[in-house]
Amino acid sequence: MEMEPEKVNMRRGLSADASAYRCAACHGDEDLVLGHPIRGRTKSRSLSASPALASTKEFRRTRSLHGPCPVTTFGPKACMLQNPQTIMHIQDPASQRLTWNKSPKSVLVIKKIRDASLLQPFKELCVYLMEMNMIVYVEKKVLEDPAVVGDGGFGPVKKRFCTFREDYDDISNQIDFIICLGGDGTLLYASSLFQGSVPPVMAFHLGSLGFLTPFNFENFQTQVTQVIQGNAAIVLRSRLKVKVVKEPRGKMSFPNGVGENGVLASGWDAEAEKQVMQYQVLNEVVIDRGPSSYLSNVDVYLNGHLITTVQGDGMWASGVIVSTPTGSTAYAAAAGASMIHPNVPAIMITPICPHSLSFRPIVVPAGVELKIMLSPEARNTVWVSFDGRKRQEIRHGDSISITTSCYPLPSICVRDPVSDWFESLAQCLHWNVRKRQAHFTDEEGEEEG
């Protein structure tokens, strides 16, 4: 069933000039993967802020989606030199609201597979959406789930679904918004389905942790109706644009593109005959040593300059994590990193069991370009995964380029981005929970005095 895509946008408070441009550096290499078009929209919705106009030759870094635009006059006479490649504004989180240009007509429902406890909420939600004349899309394997197949009373509803298959069917231009039923994994899966612009996502907490799923299912009718009416706060969760370039197998593949002072040679990244893959990552990119018993050694470049060599020596895992603020509460936090609010424009680099005690987690500005390669002296290969998926081996000569994506994931909030985040910290991570120190009694206070 074909649907005309409905446009969705947000009141962003951006200037007309800022919103009128697309950055060639952001979009120039997002059109092909291994010679085939990337699954996603050919035109960006206005949920994604468009960076300022920039020439690919003059400036190759991807501009930050949430980069700041501070006051640039200092005192009565000093000011900053004006730059036509101005980075986008940071918006007040309290002002981020969802609105619809036209009423949404289609919704994608993502359900955790092989979980019988979700069958009843799934049925209730789908029936309610169809009563509101919504076109409901579900993945074909959801309807093949034994819990769904064995429910005879669900038959009439199943006939009204529009189905699709991951990696086969392109639904990017047919979905107005997304509803997730399950844990945080359902939101990560929803992100992986859209390699371009992502429709707004409403996530219900029906899993084990649910840090990214703020909605409770008890009063879903009221909450879904409010979203359809455009009455909801929203947080833009930045994603990482990752490009993996692999040398052809059978050829000498040694990283000879490093010049003096640890600077990448400008002409080294010629990708003819190389395998190129691209991913949009919501949580993190993890590089680890895999099954090898040797130390992991990877070089980390920032905007073409070598900033450090990560040497890891963990018993079960070692390497480096590159995460978004959303991913800072996942693997990065377990590895000792700080937790960053999703509205902060940043990329976090966290070592896993670093052999050097001086290497601590660092935060770099969103929009910088990181390149990670196997060190020339490394004895073994490393492995990389993207939000826990697509795990693959990285050899000498291969490279992983990471920067901020122009396509964030718009996550619908229960209240607002700040309140929802701290509520998740308190409920899921039991943040700052400890037994309080008892106060003095009046008698003890007098004795101390």
Side-chain angles (χ1 to χ4, degrees):
M1 180 179 297
E2 292 291 331
M3 290 292 299
E4 287 293 328
E6 305 291 345
K7 294 184 178 179
V8 188
N9 64 9
M10 247 182 39
R11 300 185 182 97
R12 304 188 55 83
L14 301 176
S15 65
D17 292 338
S19 61
Y21 298 123
R22 283 173 67 87
C23 177
C26 294
H27 303 278
D29 57 357
E30 290 189 350
D31 296 331
L32 293 177
V33 176
L34 300 179
H36 300 286
I38 292 180
R39 182 177 65 245
R41 291 170 171 77
T42 57
K43 295 184 179 180
S44 173
R45 291 184 178 185
S46 52
L47 271 169
S48 300
S50 299
L53 182 63
S55 169
T56 305
K57 294 182 179 179
E58 295 176 356
F59 188 79
R60 296 188 61 84
R61 277 198 300 117
T62 300
R63 287 296 190 170
S64 167
L65 177 72
H66 304 294
C69 186
V71 173
T72 55
T73 56
F74 317 109
K77 294 184 178 180
C79 67
M80 184 181 294
L81 182 66
Q82 295 298 313
N83 185 349
Q85 299 170 339
T86 304
I87 303 177
M88 306 307 292
H89 300 254
I90 289 180
Q91 189 175 17
D92 177 10
S95 67
Q96 295 179 177
R97 306 290 300 180
L98 172 69
T99 186
W100 305 96
N101 287 339
K102 295 181 180 179
S103 298
K105 298 296 183 184
S106 59
V107 56
L108 168 62
V109 178
I110 296 179
K111 170 188 169 295
K112 185 178 178 181
I113 303 296
R114 292 183 297 275
D115 189 341
S117 65
L118 295 181
L119 179 59
Q120 188 61 32
F122 176 67
K123 289 168 54 177
E124 293 178 8
L125 174 64
C126 293
V127 170
Y128 180 73
L129 291 171
M130 291 177 181
E131 289 176 352
M132 298 184 68
N133 296 320
M134 300 291 294
I135 300 173
V136 181
Y137 284 79
V138 296
E139 194 170 5
K140 189 174 182 180
K141 64 183 180 182
V142 170
L143 299 184
E144 296 171 350
D145 191 329
V148 177
V149 173
D151 190 332
F154 199 37
V157 179
K158 288 191 291 185
K159 296 179 181 179
R160 299 178 59 185
F161 284 122
C162 294
T163 61
F164 72 98
R165 296 171 298 169
E166 183 187 8
D167 296 330
Y168 286 93
D169 301 319
D170 182 10
I171 59 170
S172 56
N173 286 323
Q174 300 173 2
I175 304 301
D176 293 330
F177 74 104
I178 304 169
I179 297 179
C180 296
L181 301 177
D184 293 345
T186 57
L187 190 68
L188 296 175
Y189 180 69
S191 172
S192 70
L193 293 176
F194 295 85
Q195 295 299 297
S197 181
V198 187
V201 181
M202 184 180 190
F204 286 94
H205 179 201
L206 292 169
S208 55
L209 185 61
F211 192 88
L212 306 179
T213 54
F215 287 91
N216 293 319
F217 195 76
E218 285 74 15
N219 56 341
F220 76 93
Q221 296 96 335
T222 302
Q223 294 170 329
V224 170
T225 301
Q226 289 179 346
V227 170
I228 293 176
Q229 293 173 350
N231 181 21
I234 199 168
V235 57
L236 290 181
R237 298 186 178 275
S238 63
R239 299 196 293 176
L240 299 175
K241 183 181 71 173
V242 185
K243 180 171 67 175
V244 179
V245 180
K246 291 189 175 183
E247 289 283 349
R249 294 294 177 257
K251 295 179 62 176
M252 177 64 69
S253 56
F254 197 77
N256 57 0
V258 181
E260 296 181 359
N261 301 321
V263 178
L264 290 178
S266 59
W268 177 79
D269 193 18
E271 296 170 2
E273 300 182 0
K274 297 182 180 181
Q275 184 183 20
V276 181
M277 293 160 287
Q278 294 184 23
Y279 306 95
Q280 297 283 333
V281 177
L282 179 60
N283 260 0
E284 72 278 298
V285 179
V286 178
I287 297 97
D288 64 85
R289 70 181 182 185
S292 173
S293 60
Y294 294 111
L295 277 70
S296 62
N297 275 281
V298 294
D299 294 335
V300 180
Y301 296 83
L302 192 150
N303 292 340
H305 294 266
L306 179 67
I307 58 171
T308 189
T309 296
V310 181
Q311 184 171 253
D313 192 23
M315 177 176 291
W316 304 113
S318 61
V320 64
I321 303 171
V322 180
S323 61
T324 64
T326 295
S328 69
T329 54
Y331 293 148
S338 298
M339 295 179 288
I340 304 176
H341 189 275
N343 275 108
V344 178
I347 298 175
M348 178 175 285
I349 305 172
T350 306
I352 307 173
C353 298
H355 199 261
S356 171
L357 298 180
S358 62
F359 186 10
R360 311 307 304 160
I362 60 175
V363 179
V364 297
V368 301
E369 183 176 13
L370 299 171
K371 185 181 286 286
I372 300 176
M373 303 171 62
L374 199 62
S375 300
E377 64 273 11
R379 295 183 177 182
N380 60 294
T381 62
V382 294
W383 290 75
V384 62
S385 61
F386 314 94
D387 284 341
R389 296 162 56 91
K390 310 293 185 182
R391 184 170 170 82
Q392 54 196 268
E393 190 175 17
I394 301 297
R395 301 172 180 267
H396 281 106
D398 301 343
S399 66
I400 306 169
S401 298
I402 305 171
T403 190
T404 305
S405 172
C406 294
Y407 301 107
L409 184 142
S411 180
I412 299 173
C413 303
V414 173
R415 287 184 290 177
D416 61 77
V418 175
S419 299
D420 281 17
W421 193 70
F422 279 102
E423 185 73 16
S424 296
L425 285 178
Q427 289 189 356
C428 299
L429 303 184
H430 302 289
W431 182 65
N432 204 27
V433 175
R434 63 178 295 273
K435 186 176 181 180
R436 293 182 179 272
Q437 185 181 43
H439 63 82
F440 283 133
T441 63
D442 294 339
E443 292 79 8
E444 289 173 333
E446 292 173 359
E447 292 176 2
E448 289 290 334

